[in-house]
Amino acid sequence: MFVLRQSWAALRALLVLTVVLGIAYPLLVTGVARAMPARADGSIVRAEGREVGSSLIGQPTSDAKWFAARPSAVDAPGAESGGSNLGQNADEQKKAITERRAALTKANPNATGPIPDDALTASGSGVDPDISVAYARWQAPRIAAARGMSVADVEKVIDAHIEKPALGYLGAERVNVLDLNIALAQRAAR
C-alpha cells in the first residue's frame, strides 16, 4: 500500500512537472521571444534593405576605410566562439601582442598616442562587437585618410555612436563597430 501511494504521488509530480516545464514554460519563453523579434532572431542589422551583420558579433575587416574590430581568438567569428585562455605572461600571448602592435602601427601610420589595450588583446568570446572609444578614435586618422574626410568628421561619427555603460555604471563607454561602419557607408552615399 505504501509503495502504491508513493508511486501515485511520483506519477502526479511527473505529470505536473511535464506540463509546467515541458509545455507551459517553453511556450512562455517563446512568447516573450516573439515579443522582441529583433533580439530573438540574432539582432540582425539591416542597411539599405539587406542584412549586413549582427550587432552582437564582431566582423573582421582589412580595408583601411572601415573601423576594425577587436582581434579574434577564433578564425571564423560567429561560427564558433571562445577566448585563447592565455595569461598575460604567456609567451604565446606576448608574441601575439607584439605582432598585433607591429601590424597596427603599420596600418595606422598617422595614429597618435599608445595603442589601446583592446586593439592588442582578443576578447574573451573572440567575437566582441564593440571597441573602446579610445580605439575608435585611434583609428580615426587612418579612416579619414582612406575616405578623404577630416579626422574631425570621423570623430563626429564616433561621438554619435558612443554607448554608455549599462545602468550608468556597468562596464565602460563603447562603440559598436558595425554601427560605425554603417554610418560611414551612409555618409559616403550622400
Side-chain angles (χ1 to χ4, degrees):
M1 192 73 164
F2 177 74
V3 171
L4 204 57
R5 237 184 9 231
Q6 289 217 337
S7 296
W8 177 239
L11 182 61
R12 284 191 317 235
L14 175 68
L15 291 174
V16 168
L17 289 173
T18 298
V19 170
V20 171
L21 299 175
I23 299 170
Y25 179 73
L27 287 174
L28 174 71
V29 170
T30 302
V32 170
R34 290 293 113 214
M36 300 179 282
R39 291 180 153 265
D41 293 334
S43 299
I44 301 298
V45 176
R46 290 174 176 74
E48 299 176 9
R50 67 183 220 280
E51 294 177 356
V52 294
S54 169
S55 63
L56 301 175
I57 299 175
Q59 292 98 22
T61 181
S62 58
D63 192 330
K65 297 187 312 185
W66 305 109
F67 284 97
R70 286 188 72 175
S72 178
V74 294
D75 291 332
E80 57 187 52
S81 175
S84 66
N85 292 331
L86 296 173
Q88 64 184 13
N89 293 326
D91 290 337
E92 198 175 330
Q93 178 78 305
K94 289 177 183 177
K95 180 182 176 199
I97 289 172
T98 300
E99 289 171 356
R100 289 176 185 142
R101 180 174 280 115
L104 286 166
T105 301
K106 182 178 179 183
N108 295 273
N110 299 328
T112 59
I115 301 172
D117 289 341
D118 60 325
L120 298 171
T121 57
S123 69
S125 68
V127 293
D128 194 347
D130 303 318
I131 58 174
S132 67
V133 175
Y135 184 28
R137 290 190 195 289
W138 190 83
Q139 295 181 68
R142 180 197 76 232
I143 294 163
R147 291 186 167 273
M149 299 170 64
S150 71
V151 173
D153 285 342
V154 174
E155 287 179 345
K156 286 179 189 173
V157 172
I158 295 167
D159 291 341
H161 290 85
I162 294 174
E163 297 175 26
K164 301 292 183 192
L167 303 176
Y169 67 93
L170 293 174
E173 286 188 341
R174 64 201 179 281
V175 289
N176 185 283
V177 176
L178 182 59
D179 289 344
L180 284 176
N181 287 335
I182 289 171
L184 285 173
Q186 289 171 343
R187 185 176 177 93
R190 288 186 221 163

